[in-house]
Amino acid sequence: FGVMAFAGFSLDNLSLMALTVATGFVVDDAIVMIENIVRYIEQGRQPREAAEIGSKEIGFTILSLTVSLIAVFLPLLLMPGVTGRLFHEFAWVLTIAVSLSALISLTLTPMMCAYLLKPGALPAHEQPQAASRGFYARMAEAYGRSLEWVLEHRPLVMAVFAASVVVTVALYVWIPKSLLPDQDTGLITGVVEADQSIAFPAMKRRVEAVAAALRQDPDVAGVAAFVGVGSLNPTLNQGQLSVVLKPRSSRPGLAAVLTRLQQSASGVPGVALFLKPVQDVTLDTRVAATQYQFVLRDLDSSELNRYALRMAAALKQLPQLADVDSNLADRGRELKLDIDRAAASRLGVPMQTINDTLYDAFGQRQISTIFTELNQYRVILEVAPQFRSGTALLDQLTVRTNASGALSGSNATTFGQAASSNSSTPTGIGAANTGIVIGGGGTVPLSTLASARQASAPLVVSHFDQMPAVVISFNVAGGYSLSQAVDAITRVQRQMDFPASLRAGFIGSAAEFSASLTDEVLLILAAIVVIYIVLGVLYESYIHPLTILSTLPSAGVGALLALIVFGMPLSVDGIIGIILLIGIVKKNAIMMVDFAIVAQRDGMAPLQAIHRAALLRFRPIMMTTAAALLGALPLALGNSIGSELRRPLGVSIVGGLLLSQLVTLYTTPVIYLYLEQFAAWLHAHGIHRSGSAEPDAA
């Protein structure tokens, strides 16, 4: 917390998730240190002497564990893109915690062991621990017998290792993938879409009808609706809904609720409803009806619209997609006025007068302000609502003319002044039924100067990268993943054979996911390369880092199988869980290899050295694995609001540890022996190898 405060970090979902994972990491170094000291106390040494010998013997191992684990976090710190920035603090918090735990384990822990551990018989209150020690002894005995059998059947074990590598690659290619898991936060946003020519009053009634239908659902706590063009609604034919669900303990899952809400709104005619859950992490900057977007842009608007319609129609046929929609709004109704400029000139009516009259009728002209003691009210000039929806208003609107002898049409309604100077009608909209000749200036009906016709017009013209653009939005259909949806859209895009001037691609979360597909593989490879380099420097060897890295395939198989069993796609959280697994499972191999190297340097043969190392390090390996597994269980089993974001991380860690723990206890000694034989062969052919025992010992 102190380093986090100094670095300007805060306690949020990601830093708390890192601290949860760290609880299984930070105790590992202390477990290894204490177990080694206890082993010497059990051999009859005094606590102080055992602490000195044990800490000196295990110090380099702890250093190797910590440095290699921090090396795993380096690719997370350098992860590109939005997701990289998202997990930057996560990686830093883990790095800080692990570094401090190593420092404490090398200093404070041995001192506490020297003063607190007692030799001899256990006190009465510690007798249950004696029972557990007997359990570990039986486990170690069974492991020793099985290890002897494995070392006698090394080719079979190597076949298992090779199969784990193949299965890991196959599962990674086959497993569905996504960017971030969908969360059930109890909040849903909806978009109500109607015909593009709809007027505001009709749109208001339909949105209210949809909101009323949603409120009838037993799992809905409240619904808020927003109508009108603004920051939420780009066009008038769209309305926004905010739906608040009841607590998760009193309702079914989000998928069932979304399906039922869609069905309840299907009874409202003339509208389409698009729903999507609110997420804690949102990567989209555009307001859209659905979760993912695909954009087409072209300088030629007509060509763009033509291909956008074809693309949207093709995407609606894909089973992987649901709620396909586009923001192409080119079928709104508009009233076009064709002005007879010659007649307007003869009557002395400037174009500015016509513009001002139309703005007075349909615009938002402020003509006055009413001041009161507490507030002020702006007075807006416009015609009454009943006159705004038909072309007959052109016969009732009049414009001032400066020409002599202009004839005012009978039954005309003047706008701005009375029809006659002798009329008693007050200034404003008045009736003139006399039809007189105005000399020296008067008014004429607007219909004498202009003819009206209805036409189609765009409600909005969208741009992307300063080019006209059409955004096609979509959701992923049930039973499919985002990777399958992206692949299907990519195939349709290739079949469309777009012209060279038209550009297409994903934006928002879908674009980030497409970029992450390549980044994920590079991230894992970068973690492996960094660990190999660090271990090579620590052990001054090219061979032994390969032994340690051989533990990774089984961890990958376990993590991917766990995600598949629980029906989770491989998301960024799962990838980070696999990267953390790299740091966890390699600890087992480091503890074995480190002791085996020391034993070989003392003159022991490789077979006896690795066998002894495996048995000696069996207890700390089991303890550190159990600590890491139990530390990840709260993430895997959590069911609170937003837990979907954390669950893939915990599931991948738990699944990977369960399988890798079983496999690596046997594959690591076998691979160690094969690599020692390879190193001896290199030495026999005059190729120098570093960090190993002498060739005679080998």
Side-chain angles (χ1 to χ4, degrees):
F1 287 143
V3 179
M4 287 172 62
F6 179 78
F9 295 159
S10 61
L11 278 179
D12 49 35
N13 275 336
L14 292 172
S15 60
L16 286 173
M17 185 164 62
L19 290 173
T20 304
V21 175
T23 57
F25 285 1
V26 297
V27 298
D28 285 1
D29 297 336
I31 287 175
V32 174
M33 177 65 73
I34 295 173
E35 192 279 335
N36 202 52
I37 294 174
V38 168
R39 184 167 59 87
Y40 281 102
I41 293 179
E42 292 173 342
Q43 294 175 3
R45 308 262 187 172
Q46 291 300 313
R48 184 182 182 92
E49 182 185 8
E52 292 178 354
I53 299 174
S55 59
K56 183 183 297 185
E57 184 181 44
I58 206 70
F60 182 78
T61 302
I62 292 179
L63 179 64
S64 302
L65 294 174
T66 303
V67 174
S68 60
L69 186 57
I70 294 176
V72 173
F73 301 147
L74 286 179
L76 293 180
L77 294 173
L78 302 177
M79 184 189 297
V82 178
T83 52
R85 297 300 304 166
L86 191 63
F87 287 95
H88 186 264
E89 184 172 328
F90 174 87
W92 267 117
V93 171
L94 276 175
T95 302
I96 294 167
V98 170
S99 301
L100 293 177
S101 74
L103 179 63
I104 293 172
S105 299
L106 292 172
T107 55
L108 179 63
T109 302
M111 182 273 290
M112 295 179 67
C113 290
Y115 285 95
L116 299 180
L117 295 182
K118 305 299 181 184
L122 290 173
H125 68 277
E126 294 187 10
Q127 290 303 320
Q129 298 181 21
S132 67
R133 292 186 183 187
F135 172 73
Y136 273 115
R138 291 191 295 271
M139 286 184 59
E141 183 180 353
Y143 172 64
R145 290 195 301 267
S146 59
L147 180 61
E148 291 177 358
W149 185 90
V150 165
L151 293 177
E152 293 174 358
H153 300 81
R154 300 178 205 171
L156 177 61
V157 177
M158 287 301 297
V160 172
F161 171 75
S164 67
V165 176
V166 175
V167 172
T168 300
V169 176
L171 287 177
Y172 179 81
V173 174
W174 180 74
I175 188 172
K177 302 176 183 65
S178 67
L179 182 63
L180 293 171
D182 292 334
Q183 295 176 267
D184 184 356
T185 60
L187 300 174
I188 298 174
T189 60
V191 174
V192 180
E193 192 170 292
D195 187 75
Q196 296 181 19
S197 61
I198 195 170
F200 179 82
M203 186 64 192
K204 179 174 178 289
R205 289 192 298 269
R206 295 184 183 181
V207 172
E208 289 176 342
V210 173
L214 297 183
R215 291 190 185 99
Q216 301 302 316
D217 191 278
D219 294 324
V220 172
V223 180
F226 307 89
V227 186
V229 178
S231 58
L232 292 177
N233 300 316
T235 56
L236 184 60
N237 70 320
Q238 288 188 354
Q240 287 282 335
L241 297 176
S242 292
V243 183
V244 180
L245 302 180
K246 292 181 179 179
R248 295 182 60 173
S249 58
S250 60
R251 61 174 172 84
L254 183 63
V257 175
L258 287 175
T259 302
R260 196 170 60 243
L261 292 180
Q262 288 280 11
Q263 295 173 351
S264 63
S266 61
V268 180
V271 296
L273 177 62
F274 303 93
L275 297 174
K276 63 178 179 179
V278 176
Q279 304 294 293
D280 287 340
V281 180
T282 303
L283 304 180
D284 296 305
T285 58
R286 286 175 169 259
V287 177
T290 55
Q291 287 185 277
Y292 307 105
Q293 292 85 45
F294 183 84
V295 64
L296 293 85
R297 53 195 187 274
D298 194 348
L299 293 176
D300 188 345
S301 298
S302 59
E303 182 180 68
L304 171 67
N305 295 347
R306 184 170 65 255
Y307 278 98
L309 290 174
R310 290 178 52 193
M311 186 74 179
L315 296 185
K316 289 180 180 179
Q317 306 301 318
L318 296 177
Q320 297 89 346
L321 306 184
D323 302 329
V324 177
D325 189 35
S326 74
N327 67 343
L328 178 59
D330 60 345
R331 297 183 181 180
R333 288 195 302 175
E334 69 174 0
L335 192 65
K336 285 194 173 184
L337 294 183
D338 296 322
I339 307 298
D340 188 346
R341 294 177 179 267
S345 178
R346 289 195 305 270
L347 295 174
V349 180
M351 288 298 298
Q352 186 62 44
T353 301
I354 298 176
N355 289 336
D356 292 342
T357 302
L358 292 173
Y359 187 72
D360 288 339
F362 303 107
Q364 293 285 316
R365 188 184 299 281
Q366 180 182 348
I367 60 173
S368 179
T369 303
I370 299 175
F371 296 94
T372 64
E373 294 180 353
L374 298 178
N375 297 310
Q376 60 183 19
Y377 304 92
R378 296 175 176 85
V379 180
I380 305 300
L381 179 66
E382 63 179 7
V383 299
Q386 62 266 27
F387 297 108
R388 297 172 64 91
S389 59
T391 59
L393 185 61
L394 295 181
D395 294 325
Q396 298 170 298
L397 287 178
T398 63
V399 293
R400 183 183 297 275
T401 175
N402 296 324
S404 299
L407 177 63
S408 176
S410 61
N411 298 319
T413 301
T414 63
F415 193 86
Q417 67 173 36
S420 170
S421 60
N422 296 324
S423 173
S424 61
T425 305
T427 301
I429 299 180
N433 299 316
T434 56
I436 63 172
V437 176
I438 301 175
T443 59
V444 295
L446 187 57
S447 59
T448 63
L449 304 176
S451 59
R453 56 186 174 88
Q454 292 189 18
S456 297
L459 297 180
V460 63
V461 178
S462 300
H463 288 77
F464 187 81
D465 287 345
Q466 301 182 354
M467 297 173 63
V470 174
V471 178
I472 300 176
S473 55
F474 62 94
N475 285 326
V476 178
Y480 292 93
S481 65
L482 181 56
S483 60
Q484 295 168 323
V486 168
D487 292 340
I489 294 175
T490 304
R491 288 194 297 269
V492 172
Q493 178 184 352
R494 289 195 294 263
Q495 295 170 3
M496 283 291 169
D497 192 20
F498 290 143
S501 59
L502 191 147
R503 301 179 182 178
F506 295 96
I507 59 175
S509 298
E512 187 67 25
F513 167 75
S514 299
S516 68
L517 289 178
T518 303
D519 295 339
E520 289 173 357
V521 178
L522 295 178
L523 197 64
I524 296 175
L525 292 177
I528 294 174
V529 170
V530 170
I531 292 176
Y532 177 82
I533 294 174
V534 170
L535 293 176
V537 171
L538 290 174
Y539 288 102
E540 299 180 353
S541 171
Y542 300 104
I543 300 298
H544 293 308
L546 296 177
T547 307
I548 296 171
L549 292 176
S550 67
T551 59
L552 305 184
S554 59
V557 172
L560 295 175
L561 283 178
L563 292 174
I564 293 173
V565 169
F566 286 93
M568 299 179 183
L570 180 61
S571 60
V572 174
D573 293 39
I575 289 293
I576 291 177
I578 293 175
I579 293 175
L580 294 180
L581 271 176
I582 295 175
I584 299 173
V585 301
K586 65 170 180 45
K587 289 185 174 184
N588 303 349
I590 287 178
M591 286 188 279
M592 286 188 189
V593 170
D594 198 49
F595 266 66
I597 291 176
V598 174
Q600 279 192 253
R601 288 173 178 169
D602 291 339
M604 192 175 292
L607 179 60
Q608 288 73 28
I610 192 62
H611 183 270
R612 180 173 180 273
L615 295 179
L616 282 178
R617 308 320 300 159
F618 176 74
R619 184 167 63 176
I621 287 175
M622 296 297 294
M623 294 174 67
T624 55
T625 302
L629 190 148
L630 294 174
L633 273 183
L635 298 177
L637 302 179
N639 196 33
S640 59
I641 294 178
S643 60
E644 294 84 359
L645 184 64
R646 304 180 289 271
R647 194 173 298 148
L649 177 64
V651 169
S652 60
I653 292 178
V654 172
L657 285 176
L658 287 176
L659 183 61
S660 65
Q661 181 69 18
L662 177 64
V663 175
T664 57
L665 285 174
Y666 299 103
T667 57
T668 301
V670 171
I671 293 176
Y672 179 88
L673 292 177
Y674 275 115
L675 289 178
E676 276 295 323
Q677 292 176 5
F678 177 68
W681 180 85
L682 292 178
H683 185 83
H685 288 76
I687 303 175
H688 176 70
R689 63 190 183 115
S690 301
S692 299
E694 293 301 320
D696 295 339

